[in-house]
Amino acid sequence: MPVIDIVITVFVFLALILFWIILLDTNRFVVRRTQVTDERIRKPLRAVVIADLHNKQFGKDNCNLLEAIRKEQPDVILVAGDILMARPKKSLEPAIHFIRELSKEYPIYYGNGNHEHRLKLYPETYADMADRYKDALGECGVDPLVNTSATLAEYGMNICGVEIDREYYRRFRKISMEKEYLRSVLGEKDKELYTVLLAHNPDYFEAYAEWGADLVLSGHLHGGVARVPFWGKGVISPSFRLFPKYDGGEFELGQTKMILSRGLGTHTIPVRVFNPGELWVVSFLPKKGE
């Protein structure tokens, strides 16, 4: 066989394998589990963390995703943003239906992502989408934590949601966050409670840690869209920066831990490569003093 034919055959074979991987990873998710312990946590709590669904549906009306969540038997649902897709005239129903079904079974603590935030910022583009989504969430008993918090007193925990300014989502470069910015929007952290911060953009992990968050739950990067085999690094962020520092998984800085979900859906780049969606399960456990 001529060399050119061999090269073409190999190229076609590899292309088919890549196509199969893209098709598979774009339409599946894996469950990842972790646990945290702290003396301030008064009793065990199990949470499912959801990020970056972007209207994606796994099975009819997301039946497969809902079934996977039920199997984990969570006490609460923690949302790290971007359940919907901010696109003019795009249907909100997939996101609303999903939250509605979850709200029938679990308390939901919802932190906004940049897509929820965008609806509110640009009514001239998105018309009444922000109001309709807010009303729908309200009917489900869900009130997003927009620079506010909810105390779970019986667990010794505080769930905070931060919605940072649009400028912190600029493309191509990361701008610095003023040292007092988070205190200006969130106030001081309650040191008596174990504090979970729902912070969609992981780029500012250092600022979240400095503010005093004990656990940060983030998303936004979609795992870098494609991941380099064996190396495992994500290739590109939504701000079009290559090989982002925080691309997915668990990170620690001082006493603060971040769980960065690779999300469940897609949007601008509608594929995943070596990068299936993720559903995180976090077990919060008391830790007895020494």
Side-chain angles (χ1 to χ4, degrees), residues 60-242:
K60 181 175 174 56
D61 294 328
N62 254 323
C63 61
N64 295 338
L65 181 55
L66 289 166
E67 180 182 3
I69 292 171
R70 293 183 182 114
K71 283 183 178 179
E72 298 300 326
Q73 298 182 312
D75 299 298
V76 298
I77 305 295
L78 301 178
V79 175
D82 283 4
I83 300 301
L84 51 73
M85 180 83 78
R87 187 171 293 166
K89 300 181 180 180
K90 188 77 173 178
S91 175
L92 297 172
E93 187 53 34
I96 292 170
H97 175 81
F98 179 66
I99 295 297
R100 183 185 298 123
E101 292 303 304
L102 286 178
S103 70
K104 294 175 182 177
E105 302 178 54
Y106 314 105
I108 300 175
Y109 298 93
Y110 195 122
N112 281 347
N114 58 306
H115 279 243
E116 288 93 351
H117 192 195
R118 195 186 304 166
L119 295 185
K120 298 185 295 181
L121 289 177
Y122 307 111
E124 67 279 6
T125 300
Y126 300 105
D128 64 344
M129 290 177 69
D131 290 336
R132 287 192 287 116
Y133 192 61
K134 180 180 179 180
D135 291 345
L137 291 183
E139 291 173 3
C140 298
V142 177
D143 186 12
L145 298 172
V146 180
N147 299 326
T148 187
S149 64
T151 300
L152 282 59
E154 63 178 307
Y155 295 98
M157 295 174 59
N158 203 27
I159 312 296
C160 298
V162 63
E163 186 177 79
I164 59 178
D165 289 342
R166 181 72 175 155
E167 65 180 352
Y168 295 113
Y169 288 94
R170 286 185 183 179
R171 291 183 173 178
F172 305 110
R173 67 185 183 94
K174 172 188 172 183
I175 67 168
S176 62
M177 180 177 282
E178 294 294 330
K179 186 174 181 179
E180 293 302 315
Y181 174 75
L182 288 178
R183 286 182 176 82
S184 72
V185 296
L186 289 173
E188 294 291 335
K189 177 211 167 180
D190 187 340
K191 296 181 180 179
E192 300 300 314
L193 299 172
Y194 183 88
T195 299
V196 178
L197 181 64
L198 304 175
H200 185 65
N201 188 347
D203 282 349
Y204 296 93
F205 179 38
E206 291 83 0
Y208 307 147
E210 194 278 332
W211 175 74
D214 297 297
L215 177 67
V216 178
L217 299 178
S218 294
H220 187 53
L221 266 71
H222 300 187
V225 181
R227 302 186 71 78
V228 181
F230 305 110
W231 186 26
K233 284 294 293 179
V235 173
I236 190 168
S237 74
S239 58
F240 296 102
R241 284 182 283 120
L242 294 176

